[in-house]
Amino acid sequence: MDIRLLDSKTIPLDGLPSHVGNTPLLPLRRLTSNLSPKVKVFFKAEWFNPGGSVKDRPALNIIQNAFINGDLGHGKRLLDSTSGNMGISYATFGAALGIPVTFAIPASASPERLTLLRALGAEVILTDPSEGSDGAILVALQLAADKPDLYWYANQYSNPANWQAHYLSTGPEIFAQTNGQVTHFVAGLGTSGTLMGTGRYLQEQLPDVQIISMQPDAPFHGLEGLKHMPSAIKPGIYDESLAGTNLQVRTEAAHEMTLRLAREEGLFVGISSGAAAVAALEVASKLDEGVVVTIFPDAGYKYLSDKSLWEAK
Ligand code: PMP
């Protein structure tokens, strides 16, 4: 596959790119006690990225490619729709590079995310919460069409640099960190970049690896960052034939698992990590042996205002 590997000299980020990726691969230890002893479940701890989530990987790759192509760097604003994490990553690198950023974001995004975006100097355009992330996509598209001289529309849902970031980093890291022993890869679907890029890389290295996608079970759900694909605008980069299996996770199951991760594993992670753990443990429970790897996209701090979730008995 012809993908340009970029290095830290491509744009003047003074070493910041070297802190993106290379996140730890850690085991679930207690929630796996009822599994066959020959089954292991690991997760990539993506909150170790400088912007606090997995989205640092595509955000940096999209910005680097835009610099190379001449789309950014001449005063244009980077514009995208985001559920929060991608915006935080763009805003982090945008601040470091002096690139102004504008985001269309559903007004229902957690207050922590909106405050973080503003702290990083981003312009935030709130969109109708009842229209979810699709409403934000439509507002960004309209803005880009109305003011092409002001905005460069990064379009994370269709930009190949999104999935390629995972093909270049997440996939090779998981392959190396498991010594090529990974048998199952499970990831949630938002833009689908994580699943597409990591899945493609692992399939090329290990033809027998199982790729499993996970998504909310209903159009209206509480899994921030994830999409219910049948009822959503299909991301341009999403190829639904890549995953051999697709699992659906209920919001309540993800909430319960997020609490269990905190209380039984000491892992204070976000709700899509809870959903990933539900799916990964479901896959693992059917195996006699295997190495199941999933992604924990971010930590729990951005969701703290949801007190009923965290303070449940
Ligand atoms: N979880 C969270 C918390 C996210 O912000 C995202 C990105 N929208 C995802 C999961 C899904 O990642 P991707 O866009 O690569 O499918």
Side-chain angles (χ1 to χ4, degrees):
M1 198 166 289
D2 179 27
I3 299 174
R4 213 165 3 174
L5 182 57
L6 303 172
D7 61 34
S8 56
K9 294 187 203 75
T10 312
I11 53 173
L13 271 166
D14 294 335
L16 191 54
S18 62
H19 293 281
V20 173
N22 290 316
T23 54
L25 184 77
L26 302 172
L28 283 181
R29 296 174 306 121
R30 300 181 64 198
L31 292 175
T32 48
S33 57
N34 59 344
L35 300 178
S36 156
K38 289 187 184 157
V39 176
K40 304 279 176 241
V41 180
F42 293 95
F43 60 90
K44 290 284 274 177
E46 290 297 307
W47 60 89
F48 278 84
N49 284 300
S53 84
V54 67
K55 300 300 275 192
D56 275 10
R57 299 174 188 261
L60 183 62
N61 201 39
I62 284 175
I63 288 176
Q64 286 184 314
N65 276 283
F67 256 79
I68 289 170
N69 297 335
D71 296 320
L72 285 177
H74 315 290
K76 271 200 184 179
R77 302 188 73 91
L78 182 154
L79 167 71
D80 214 343
S81 62
T82 161
S83 67
N85 274 333
M86 188 65 158
I88 293 163
S89 297
Y90 283 139
T92 300
F93 303 127
L97 284 163
I99 301 169
V101 293
T102 299
F103 305 121
I105 180 165
S108 51
S110 72
E112 294 90 336
R113 289 178 181 217
L114 296 174
T115 305
L116 253 168
L117 288 171
R118 293 184 178 120
L120 289 161
E123 179 186 36
V124 175
I125 297 170
L126 296 178
T127 63
D128 186 343
S130 69
E131 291 176 23
S133 55
D134 284 353
I137 292 176
L138 297 175
V139 168
L141 258 173
Q142 192 60 49
L143 267 178
D146 289 348
K147 296 183 179 167
D149 295 337
L150 182 60
Y151 296 117
W152 175 71
Y153 182 31
N155 198 354
Q156 57 164 324
Y157 290 94
S158 298
N159 192 326
N162 175 350
W163 70 263
Q164 288 171 0
H166 295 283
Y167 182 91
L168 293 170
S169 66
T170 321
E173 287 169 32
I174 290 171
F175 184 75
Q177 288 169 313
T178 61
N179 296 317
Q181 304 292 305
V182 53
T183 59
H184 296 73
F185 175 66
V186 182
L189 296 173
T191 64
S192 80
T194 307
L195 186 90
M196 292 294 121
T198 311
R200 280 189 183 123
Y201 180 86
L202 292 176
Q203 275 182 344
E204 280 178 21
Q205 302 301 315
L206 303 162
D208 292 334
V209 74
Q210 303 288 308
I211 306 297
I212 297 123
S213 62
M214 174 274 289
Q215 61 183 295
D217 71 336
F220 296 102
H221 59 86
L223 306 180
E224 242 183 277
L226 299 183
K227 259 182 189 279
H228 176 252
M229 287 296 178
S231 61
I233 297 176
K234 183 175 169 286
I237 60 172
Y238 179 45
D239 172 4
E240 62 189 5
S241 70
L242 186 88
T245 307
N246 177 56
L247 298 177
Q248 299 200 334
V249 173
R250 287 180 308 114
T251 298
E252 300 73 35
H255 280 181
E256 276 167 31
M257 184 61 78
T258 306
L259 260 194
R260 289 190 68 191
L261 287 167
R263 293 175 184 183
E264 296 176 42
E265 297 269 358
L267 293 167
F268 179 57
V269 291
I271 295 143
S272 70
S273 303
V278 170
L281 289 168
E282 186 177 328
V283 169
S285 70
K286 296 186 178 127
L287 303 177
D288 293 325
E289 59 183 289
V291 176
V292 180
V293 174
T294 191
I295 305 286
F296 283 1
D298 62 5
Y301 299 102
K302 277 169 286 189
Y303 310 87
L304 272 176
S305 58
D306 190 353
K307 284 200 173 182
S308 62
L309 163 63
W310 302 109
E311 294 175 3
K313 289 277 183 314

